[in-house]
């Protein structure tokens, strides 16, 4: 006999890095054992045994699906809203009770279907909200005329509806009004190329449905800057690439790592030199509402920098991120990046049969 005592409510969205323990009351008889069948997105199923403690079965799903989420990519060629399926997976869980003597099935219990949202660290997420920005989105940011905005959000509507986004300038004029019809609940990525509009000093990106705006992002045009902007793409805590622009000084160094061996006369000979690229980029001036950007980037697990008109993969080497200081209104910070040496290949010079 299996009786559920604690389980996710049907249809709710849980974060895979937050605690998630399903508890069932089971038969304490040592002559029975339990196996849990987990189905991901209705097309991948796996099964494993689960130990009971007296008359309780505790199934801890935290971190269990870390490697079940497909990798996400990006395409910056268009302005669009697209549904992002990779970070949200559907979970069906069944608990089966078997007799130890002959492995016969005694009873079975299904857990109500629920969903898991990928996250690299514990976070707070309200899946009952109508529309919610995800990944600690910076709601006040500097941009330039050729910026590409990428914003991830959760849309929760049980019936077909619309998503509307509007770009408004500081004269209360609509620069862009776009509606997407027949939208189903889920995770979405809004990508907006700003080169198609004439921005003013302050602009407002508003996201909502056909009735109201639920979220707003302030876009401040940096039209005068001593340094040119460095666009970056970084993965947020949900594994999706979002965008930012850094407007401060950029410095580049080339660290060298040398490997050598000792000769018979006790001298040393260098046999290999590995050179990487170390890049330090200052953010330029930030308001207090914007300094979260440094923490977001520094926590990212995958970053691309736009250098020489090409996005190049980099690693972050910054040791800490600055926080707010009482009575301070302007901030800046630097982020350290490492670009590893290019790995070449000779594939084009081989015949492959």
């Amino acid at each position: 006999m299996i009786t559920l005592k604690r389980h996710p409510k049907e249809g709710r969205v849980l974060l895979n890095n937050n605690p998630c323990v399903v508890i069932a009351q089971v038969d304490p008889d040592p002559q029975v054992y339990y196996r849990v069948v987990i189905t991901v997105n209705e097309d991948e199923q796996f099964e494993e045994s689960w130990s009971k403690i007296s008359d309780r079965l505790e199934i801890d799903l935290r971190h269990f699906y870390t490697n079940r989420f497909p990798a996400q990519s990006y395409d910056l060629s268009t302005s669009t809203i697209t549904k992002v399926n990779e970070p949200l997976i559907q979970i069906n869980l069944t608990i089966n009770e078997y007799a130890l003597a002959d492995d016969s099935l005694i009873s079975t219990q299904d857990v109500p279907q629920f969903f898991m949202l990928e996250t690299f660290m514990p976070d707070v997420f309200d899946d009952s909200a109508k529309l919610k920005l995800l990944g600690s989105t910076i709601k006040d940011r500097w941009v330039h005329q050729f910026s590409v905005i990428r914003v991830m959000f959760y849309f929760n509507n049980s019936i077909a509806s619309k998503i509307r986004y509007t770009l408004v300038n500081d004269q209360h004029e609509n620069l862009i009004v776009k509606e997407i019809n027949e939208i189903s609940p889920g995770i979405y990525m809004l990508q907006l190329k700003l080169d198609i509009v004439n921005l003013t000093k302050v602009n407002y990106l508003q996201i909502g449905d056909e009735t109201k705006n639920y979220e707003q992002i302030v876009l401040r045009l940096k039209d005068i800057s001593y340094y040119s902007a460095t666009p970056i793409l970084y993965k947020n805590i949900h594994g999706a690439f979002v965008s930012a622009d850094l407007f401060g000084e950029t410095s580049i160094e080339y660290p060298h790592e040398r490997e050598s061996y000792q000769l018979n006369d006790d001298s040393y000979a260098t046999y290999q030199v590995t050179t990487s690229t170390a890049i330090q980029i200052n953010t330029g001036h930030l308001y207090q509402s914007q300094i979260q950007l440094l923490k977001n980037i520094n926590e990212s697990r995958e970053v691309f920098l736009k250098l020489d008109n090409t996005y190049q993969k980099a690693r972050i080497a910054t040791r800490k991120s600055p926080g707010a200081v009482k009575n301070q209104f302007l901030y800046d910070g630097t982020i350290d990046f490492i670009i590893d040496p290019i790995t070449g290949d000779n594939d084009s010079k081989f015949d492959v049969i």
Side-chain angles (χ1 to χ4, degrees):
M1 182 68 177
I2 306 169
T3 304
L4 293 177
K5 291 297 185 179
R6 184 179 189 272
H7 60 82
K9 296 178 181 179
E10 185 170 8
R12 297 304 295 268
V13 179
L14 287 66
L15 300 187
N16 74 308
N17 222 306
N18 288 355
C20 177
V21 180
V22 177
I23 300 176
Q25 183 176 332
V26 296
D27 192 336
D29 186 352
Q31 299 305 311
V32 298
Y33 67 94
Y34 297 88
R35 293 185 65 82
V36 177
V37 178
I38 304 171
T39 305
V40 179
N41 290 338
E42 299 182 349
D43 58 8
E44 181 182 9
Q45 187 176 91
F46 51 99
E47 182 178 358
E48 66 177 59
S49 297
W50 219 283
S51 300
K52 62 182 176 179
I53 304 173
S54 182
D55 63 345
R56 288 167 61 90
L57 195 66
E58 297 189 2
I59 305 168
D60 190 357
L61 300 178
R62 185 177 185 179
H63 303 306
F64 199 73
Y65 302 100
T66 300
N67 297 319
R68 298 286 167 182
F69 298 97
Q72 300 181 55
S73 58
Y74 64 90
D75 176 5
L76 303 179
S77 61
T78 60
S79 294
T80 183
I81 289 181
T82 55
K83 193 169 187 178
V84 186
N85 295 315
E86 292 87 352
L88 188 66
I89 59 177
Q90 174 185 297
I91 303 297
N92 291 87
L93 190 148
T94 300
I95 305 171
N96 292 324
E97 180 183 41
Y98 294 93
L100 189 62
D102 56 6
D103 295 326
S104 59
L105 180 64
I106 299 173
S107 65
T108 185
Q109 177 66 58
D110 291 326
V111 175
Q113 183 185 94
F114 61 97
F115 297 85
M116 274 196 163
L117 176 62
E118 178 180 20
T119 179
F120 294 148
M121 60 189 68
D123 198 17
V124 177
F125 172 64
D126 180 11
D127 64 340
S128 65
K130 184 70 175 288
L131 192 149
K132 180 178 177 60
L133 295 175
L134 297 177
S136 300
T137 298
I138 305 301
K139 296 185 180 182
D140 187 344
R141 56 184 290 182
W142 290 105
V143 298
H144 57 92
Q145 188 61 63
F146 298 96
S147 290
V148 179
I149 306 299
R150 285 177 62 86
V151 178
M152 186 182 189
F153 63 92
Y154 173 69
F155 182 64
N156 176 25
N157 192 4
S158 58
I159 60 174
S161 186
K162 295 179 181 179
I163 290 176
R164 174 188 296 163
Y165 70 88
T166 308
L167 185 62
V168 182
N169 65 18
D170 54 13
Q171 304 300 316
H172 306 290
E173 299 170 333
N174 289 340
L175 302 178
I176 296 176
V177 179
K178 183 72 173 178
E179 288 187 350
I180 311 296
N181 297 316
E182 302 300 315
I183 292 293
S184 59
I187 309 295
Y188 289 85
M189 180 67 71
L190 166 59
Q191 180 168 290
L192 179 61
K193 299 182 68 176
L194 298 182
D195 59 355
I196 63 175
V197 296
N198 293 319
L199 299 174
T200 53
K201 283 290 186 181
V202 182
N203 308 267
Y204 306 91
L205 177 59
Q206 300 165 341
I207 309 172
D209 59 13
E210 67 271 31
T211 60
K212 62 180 291 188
N213 294 318
Y214 292 94
E215 297 281 7
Q216 176 173 280
I217 301 171
V218 180
L219 305 179
R220 302 179 185 272
L221 179 63
K222 181 88 74 169
D223 54 350
I224 299 176
S225 177
Y226 186 78
Y227 302 103
S228 59
T230 301
I232 75 170
L233 292 170
Y234 65 96
K235 276 192 172 180
N236 64 14
I237 64 171
H238 303 297
F241 283 105
V242 292
S243 59
D245 293 284
L246 304 180
F247 289 89
E249 181 182 21
T250 298
S251 62
I252 301 177
E253 293 180 338
Y254 301 99
H256 307 294
E257 293 186 11
R258 297 176 176 86
E259 299 185 52
S260 59
Y261 59 91
Q262 189 173 18
L263 300 175
N264 292 333
D265 61 359
D266 291 335
S267 64
Y268 287 84
T270 298
Y271 67 89
Q272 182 168 302
V273 178
T274 302
T275 302
S276 56
T277 303
I279 302 175
Q280 188 175 78
I281 305 177
N282 186 269
T283 60
H285 291 309
L286 299 175
Y287 296 120
Q288 188 175 98
S289 59
Q290 300 171 322
I291 59 173
Q292 174 73 24
L293 175 64
L294 281 88
K295 184 173 180 290
N296 289 355
I297 296 173
N298 284 326
E299 289 177 340
S300 178
R301 299 190 178 190
E302 191 171 351
V303 177
F304 286 83
L305 300 177
K306 191 174 185 181
L307 304 170
D308 299 325
N309 211 33
T310 303
Y311 281 95
Q312 300 183 35
K313 189 173 184 178
R315 293 184 290 113
I316 294 179
T318 313
R319 298 299 297 268
K320 63 180 179 179
S321 302
V325 179
K326 188 176 181 179
N327 295 330
Q328 182 173 328
F329 304 100
L330 286 179
Y331 296 80
D332 75 325
T334 57
I335 304 177
D336 297 317
F337 300 91
I338 301 282
I339 297 180
D340 294 319
I342 296 175
T343 302
D345 63 67
N346 287 313
D347 285 353
S348 62
K349 303 172 186 177
F350 280 76
D351 284 329
V352 179
I353 300 174

